[in-house]
Amino acid sequence: TVDVTTPQGCLKTRIVDVTSSEIAQIQEIKISDLAESNTVEISATGNGDLVYSIDNLTDFQYSNIFYDVPYGIHQVYVKDINGCGLVGPIEIYVLGIPKFFTPDGDGVNDTWNLAGSSSKFNKNAEILIFDRHGKFIHQQFGDGAGWDGTYNGRQLPSDDYWYVITLEDQRVFRGHFSM
């Protein structure tokens, strides 16, 4: 409560709500990727009402879990709704393996690579590509430009191709994609 007294001695008491708030501290970001539905969970602490966002500063949510996050590189933000600061952007990497690519020169899906890797994250992930008969076709790394569908300078036919990806943390993924 606040008591206010005028010079004439009149007393007025007001009740004021005080909301405690402080800038958030991000403790951990858990990423479940390389799945049909990728999730990101942001663990943050702070004395206040925290909201969370991925990739924009206008669409915040109260839940700290994001579902169906597309693979790629994203920016994470956390703020207190009472205006006590913004944390971010914090760059995160959600890995994904494209199911197809179309090297037709139109600028869309022209190369195939491990999505969400960069020179900062899984740049040394090894990617081996084979044809459907097991013949080795191409080797690349996570920060490379990607495979353009050629072998010895010649365009390969549309078909299924197989991969073995070894991430920097030594997890191995095997599967196939279409060209």
Side-chain angles (χ1 to χ4, degrees):
T1 61
V2 175
D3 292 331
V4 177
T5 307
T6 67
Q8 293 79 19
C10 296
L11 175 67
K12 183 71 174 179
T13 300
R14 295 276 181 170
I15 297 174
V16 179
D17 290 328
V18 177
T19 303
S20 178
S21 181
E22 64 186 12
I23 194 163
Q25 299 285 326
I26 294 179
Q27 304 300 312
E28 181 180 22
I29 299 174
K30 292 181 186 175
I31 300 169
S32 297
D33 55 7
L34 293 163
E36 288 295 318
S37 177
N38 301 316
T39 60
V40 174
E41 181 178 356
I42 306 164
S43 298
T45 58
N47 192 10
D49 295 320
L50 302 180
V51 289
Y52 307 84
S53 180
I54 293 181
D55 290 334
N56 70 66
L57 292 170
T58 58
D59 189 21
F60 283 82
Q61 66 182 39
Y62 282 97
S63 174
N64 65 325
I65 300 174
F66 292 84
Y67 299 96
D68 299 322
V69 178
Y71 53 71
I73 301 170
H74 300 280
Q75 308 296 319
V76 169
Y77 301 91
V78 179
K79 72 175 185 176
D80 176 75
I81 62 170
N82 296 310
C84 191
L86 172 73
V87 177
I90 296 174
E91 196 167 74
I92 63 168
Y93 306 88
V94 179
L95 295 176
I97 301 171
K99 295 180 188 237
F100 69 92
F101 80 117
T102 55
D104 56 8
D106 68 354
V108 179
N109 296 322
D110 283 338
T111 60
W112 188 90
N113 203 357
L114 173 65
S117 60
S118 75
S119 63
K120 296 178 185 177
F121 182 75
N122 269 306
K123 76 176 189 172
N124 295 317
E126 181 183 48
I127 302 154
L128 304 174
I129 299 173
F130 305 87
D131 71 9
R132 64 185 173 127
H133 303 291
K135 178 181 176 182
F136 173 74
I137 301 293
H138 181 75
Q139 176 188 27
Q140 64 191 39
F141 294 92
D143 67 345
W147 181 48
D148 64 0
T150 62
Y151 179 70
N152 289 334
R154 296 178 51 205
Q155 185 67 42
L156 290 175
S158 295
D159 205 345
D160 268 358
Y161 291 87
W162 293 82
Y163 62 82
V164 177
I165 299 173
T166 305
L167 301 178
E168 288 180 351
D169 65 7
Q170 301 309 305
R171 290 185 292 162
V172 177
F173 294 89
R174 290 173 167 76
H176 64 96
F177 61 93
S178 296
M179 173 175 71

